[in-house]
Amino acid sequence: MEITEQQKEFMRKAIEMADNGMNSGTGGPFGAVIVKNGKIVATGCNQVTSTNDPTAHAEVVAIRNACVELNSFQLDDCDIYTSCEPCPMCLGAIYWARPNRVFYANTKVDAAEIDFDDQFVYDEIDLPLGDRSIPFIQILRNEALSTFQNWAAKNDKIEY
């Protein structure tokens, strides 16, 4: 795939978002831009430390902003430009948002070299629940199943 000048400009904007967020003390050195039909619809930078929200990664912030802007819970016909290869959480959020493509600049190895190493999360995902470093304890499944059964029977639900 040949990268266009416009695509490079969108990535430069994601990198600018990373620089701006980092330099303003908003959070770590990560930025993201969401584009639809050749126009930026939303941006985001890492806001973890400024909002005390461990989920406020640049991609998640940009996805939230884009969904508000587009009045949709999916990013149909959108591309995401992110200054770094997404972490496991952001990767999951991206798949749930269903964009067309993701462009990234730095790699997860580059991030690990500046102490943003997500390998432990990848390792934990592959472990059985009982072997993970944070205990996962199942309780009240039978009571919780009724909510799932009600969802399955609900006639006016919005599928996603």
Side-chain angles (χ1 to χ4, degrees):
M1 172 183 183
E2 187 173 330
I3 303 299
T4 69
E5 284 305 313
Q6 186 179 43
Q7 290 167 328
K8 290 177 185 177
E9 285 305 310
F10 293 142
M11 183 57 75
R12 287 185 183 107
K13 181 65 175 176
I15 295 166
E16 178 186 325
M17 294 300 301
D19 285 336
N20 291 346
M22 174 187 65
N23 292 330
S24 70
T26 302
F30 304 97
V33 171
I34 298 181
V35 174
K36 184 170 184 168
N37 298 326
K39 294 186 176 157
I40 295 174
V41 295
T43 62
C45 65
N46 183 289
Q47 299 176 7
V48 170
T49 57
S50 61
T51 63
N52 294 319
D53 179 353
T55 69
H57 289 198
E59 297 91 336
V60 172
V61 170
I63 288 168
R64 290 172 181 164
N65 292 340
C67 288
V68 169
E69 181 67 27
L70 297 171
N71 194 33
S72 175
F73 54 84
Q74 290 185 184
L75 299 178
D76 297 326
D77 302 318
C78 291
D79 291 332
I80 297 177
Y81 293 79
T82 180
S83 65
C84 187
E85 184 178 355
C87 76
M89 177 187 69
C90 292
L91 185 62
I94 288 167
Y95 273 95
W96 284 119
R98 297 177 177 92
N100 284 351
R101 300 177 292 191
V102 176
F103 296 86
Y104 66 96
N106 293 316
T107 68
K108 63 184 179 181
V109 173
D110 298 329
E113 289 176 359
I114 60 165
D115 296 326
F116 288 95
D117 189 357
D118 299 320
Q119 188 58 48
F120 79 97
V121 178
Y122 289 107
D123 294 343
E124 287 281 307
I125 289 169
D126 287 337
L127 293 174
L129 291 175
D131 294 340
R132 292 183 179 170
S133 62
I134 297 174
F136 281 69
I137 304 156
Q138 185 177 30
I139 62 172
L140 299 179
R141 178 177 180 255
N142 289 337
E143 290 182 33
L145 278 174
S146 66
T147 303
F148 277 12
Q149 292 161 349
N150 290 338
W151 172 260
K154 187 173 173 58
N155 292 323
D156 62 344
K157 63 187 168 202
I158 298 173
E159 300 280 348
Y160 61 97

